Amino acid sequence: MKKIVISEFMDEAAVEDLRADFNVLYDPELVDHEDKLFASLAEAEGIIVRNRTQVRGPLLEAAPNLKTVGRLGVGLDNIDLEACKAAGISVHPASGANDLSVAEYVITSAMALLRGAYFGQARMIAGEWPRQEMSGGELARKTLGLVGCGSIARETARLARGMGMAVAGFDPFVPADDPLWQTMTRHDDLEGLLVSTDVVSLHVPLTDGTKHLINATTLVAMRKSAVLVNAARGGVVDEAALATALSRGQIAGAALDVFETEPLTAEAGAKFQGVPNLILTPHIGGVTTESNVRVSSLTAANVRKSLS
């Protein structure tokens, strides 16, 4: 039987489905034990990963029989696509399977940040009654700005419009005559979007062109009342600059689900200590109970088809 290694967590039902026809090694802790992972790949023809397993040089060298990579998600910056192509290895992201969960994360985070009613537990427990400070604002009649307009951004736009928001977008890779722009305001440059929106949501991959796209300069362009949500990729935001901007009140709040260092270490996270109106979550924007089932099922189907 052909061997498949699964190095990060996956829905058990999808794992069992693959076991019916393949020799499956499922160990979600393999990602943290490189030697064990590499040893397990000697005879493997398939590997299934999330975002932490680095499918590049050393791993590919340890897997001479590898034919397919299943990605439990859509980001591919942890996979050397060129090396895989050169070796004849197919790569299969779970496109569309977690769009809704990420979109809901963006909207939920924006509402929490704008409302400001969910950060005062300590004051309440201490006997304070800060009604004015915690009353906050509404999402409706504000403008959502999408940086990148792929499928997740479009699902986010759909939810935002349902909440009564206007939507604007910036994406130089979407032509000006694309029907998308009939549903939202198109901006030709990032600054134009930043100065005119209340919620800025990032939906771009991490590339040389997007690294620190949000930085000290671009943060100054945002409205003081605006909030930022990054559930895309760590490194797109200059975290030190963001921490400074929040501490100085240059923008109203931010939610980060992805980080330049993942998992976030105590050292890397120290910059966020005491920063106000900040939500930090461990790269779970696309992971819900429901989306894990969808993503796992689609990935299992993709790998099964590729190895059949």
Side-chain angles (χ1 to χ4, degrees):
M1 298 174 74
K2 295 177 180 177
K3 183 178 181 180
I4 298 171
V5 174
I6 306 171
S7 63
E8 299 181 63
F9 72 91
M10 185 174 181
D11 180 60
E12 291 281 356
V15 175
E16 290 305 313
D17 177 72
L18 287 172
R19 281 193 171 128
D21 299 294
F22 299 95
N23 173 18
V24 175
L25 172 61
Y26 174 47
D27 183 352
E29 296 185 3
L30 276 176
V31 63
D32 294 313
H33 300 279
E34 190 175 85
D35 291 345
K36 287 178 62 178
L37 172 60
F38 288 179
S40 73
L41 290 169
E43 304 298 328
E45 295 188 38
I47 185 172
I48 294 176
V49 305
R50 286 191 180 269
N51 63 294
R52 292 180 57 212
T53 305
Q54 299 299 308
V55 184
R56 51 187 77 255
L59 184 148
L60 294 174
E61 290 175 10
N65 300 305
L66 194 64
K67 293 181 174 60
T68 191
V69 178
R71 169 69 168 92
L72 293 158
V74 294
L76 298 174
D77 47 289
N78 61 311
I79 300 173
D80 188 334
L81 297 176
E82 290 299 319
C84 286
K85 182 179 179 181
I89 301 168
S90 60
V91 178
H92 304 277
S95 301
N98 65 357
D99 288 4
L100 178 61
S101 54
V102 178
E104 286 192 355
Y105 177 93
V106 173
I107 298 299
T108 302
S109 298
M111 293 179 75
L113 292 167
L114 290 170
R115 189 64 189 260
Y118 308 103
F119 300 94
Q121 293 95 327
R123 296 179 67 185
M124 293 289 296
I125 292 168
E128 296 185 42
W129 198 249
R131 293 186 72 191
Q132 290 299 108
E133 298 99 309
M134 291 175 63
S135 59
E138 299 173 353
L139 197 69
R141 291 172 294 282
K142 290 184 172 61
T143 300
L144 169 68
L146 300 169
V147 181
C149 294
S151 64
I152 294 176
R154 297 180 193 212
E155 179 66 9
T156 305
R158 183 185 70 82
L159 297 184
R161 285 190 289 268
M163 296 293 296
M165 299 188 80
V167 183
F170 164 65
D171 192 327
F173 298 101
V174 178
D177 59 354
D178 191 286
L180 172 69
W181 304 120
Q182 297 175 17
T183 66
M184 67 178 74
T185 301
R186 178 178 180 269
H187 286 276
D188 291 321
D189 56 71
L190 177 61
E191 184 174 356
L193 179 132
L194 295 179
V195 302
S196 59
T197 55
D198 304 292
V199 177
V200 177
S201 183
L202 306 180
H203 298 273
V204 295
L206 179 62
T207 66
D208 290 341
T210 63
K211 183 174 175 60
H212 287 184
L213 187 69
I214 301 300
N215 53 50
T217 300
T218 51
L219 285 164
V220 169
M222 290 178 62
R223 295 174 174 178
K224 287 189 68 174
S225 58
V227 299
L228 173 73
V229 181
N230 184 17
R233 280 292 174 270
V236 175
V237 173
D238 182 334
E239 295 171 359
L242 176 63
T244 298
L246 287 168
S247 297
R248 293 177 177 174
Q250 291 177 331
I251 65 172
L256 300 180
D257 185 50
V258 289
F259 303 90
E260 295 186 76
T261 299
E262 290 192 12
L264 189 67
T265 62
E267 181 180 7
K271 67 176 77 72
F272 299 118
Q273 188 67 41
V275 173
N277 213 23
L278 174 65
I279 296 171
L280 304 179
T281 53
H283 205 144
I284 54 170
V287 183
T288 60
T289 300
E290 297 87 351
S291 72
N292 185 40
V293 172
R294 294 193 300 269
V295 166
S296 298
S297 177
L298 178 57
T299 302
N302 286 339
V303 170
R304 175 184 294 279
K305 182 178 180 180
S306 178
L307 292 179
S308 296

